[in-house]
Amino acid sequence: MERVFGYVGIDWATEAHQVCALDAQGAVLWERSVPHNGDGLSLLADQLTAWAAGSPSAIWVAIEVPRGAVVETLLERGFSVFSINPKQLDRFRDRFSVAGAKDDRLDARVLADSLRTDQPRFRRLQVEPPDVIELREWSRLTDELKQERTRLTNRFREQLRRYFPQAAELTNNLAEPWFLDLWQRVPTPQAARRVRVATVRAILQAHRIRRLSPVEVLACLRQRPVVVAPGTAEAAQAYLQLLLPRLRLILRQIAEAERRLDDLLPDVTTPAPNDKQRDATILRSLPGVGRVVLATLLSEASQPLVQRDYHTLRALCGVAPITKQSGKRRVVVRRMACHPRLREALYHWARVACQHDPACRSRYAALRQRGHTHGRTLRGIGDHLLYVTCTLLRKGELFDPGYRRNNQQTPAA
């Protein structure tokens, strides 16, 4: 069993962190506040190392956040760092105050003491590879940029419908570059009556748009305009003129982020147990896995994937149900405490897999026939995909769409 010299709880904050140190029996040795800067964190690490007589791994540190400057400084200096969910910490706090008292000093002590008595409830942290950290940041940045694109597109649509609603009928995605170029050339119903067919054709050809002809576009734009109060069209047009550069910038940034993800994904892999394939190659072979799903899995669930831990993966993705039982009453409900990005990625993974994989499609139909809702069915399919993923990673094999068909028993004659 690993020898532990002492326990430390750190209540994380933005400007200063409250630290509480306990001995092996749980007695408080010292408490202090540490500023969030390089000197403060380095001094804390030096003091803890001196306290442990030069053996930092014998100091167990508990903290709520699983990453950040505090965690990375301590891990780099060799300390054993553990994290816990804030909701679990709130339950441990009741041991010290049933009245609901709460302050930074109490939280630091609760962290240290609960690590001493309930270490299995904590998750041991490790230093993540630099490429995984970089992939996670680019993946999250890509999601943020897409959310911003959606917000700007909704604003664009709202203003366009004030005076030029027929233009919004041309496409469901008003942030498409061809539509932005078209609006910049034809910003009002009056401009639509003056523009030539050759101008519209040049815009469509420049963006390789073939689903619409120039005549169809002009016919849509030249519909009877809505009647608006004087100045409304001018005000909305001015708003859109300011919005247009922001939309174009977001589109360029999304394209750059996606290119960066494509560059990072081949490198963010770990050898499979038998070195036949690499993890990213195996994940790419699964139905429904694209750039976004692959980047999310490799960045947000890197440790469970390396460990091939199916049960942790299904809990993080929110597909492991929760059972509540008391006496004769037993209820199974959906798990809400999970990683939101992994939950969303698994949802779309299962949805796309149902569209392209016959086995997933038949499983979807069978579950729906049993009375499951659409969301419940996709969670079941996602759970199955996670099990298949861990099995393939353990074996180091690619996904074989015909595996079930090839291994069916041939009936006797």
Side-chain angles (χ1 to χ4, degrees), residues 345-370:
L346 186 65
Y347 174 86
H348 291 293
W349 179 9
R351 179 182 59 82
V352 177
C354 290
Q355 297 173 354
H356 296 88
D357 182 56
C360 290
R361 192 159 50 245
S362 62
R363 182 183 295 270
Y364 177 89
L367 290 174
R368 290 287 283 168
Q369 191 174 8
R370 289 168 55 183

Side-chain angles (χ1 to χ4, degrees), residues 61-86:
V61 183
I63 191 170
E64 290 179 89
V65 292
R67 61 181 62 90
V70 180
V71 173
E72 290 157 9
T73 298
L74 295 174
L75 287 175
E76 191 271 336
R77 296 289 291 270
F79 295 95
S80 302
V81 185
F82 300 80
S83 71
I84 191 172
N85 188 285

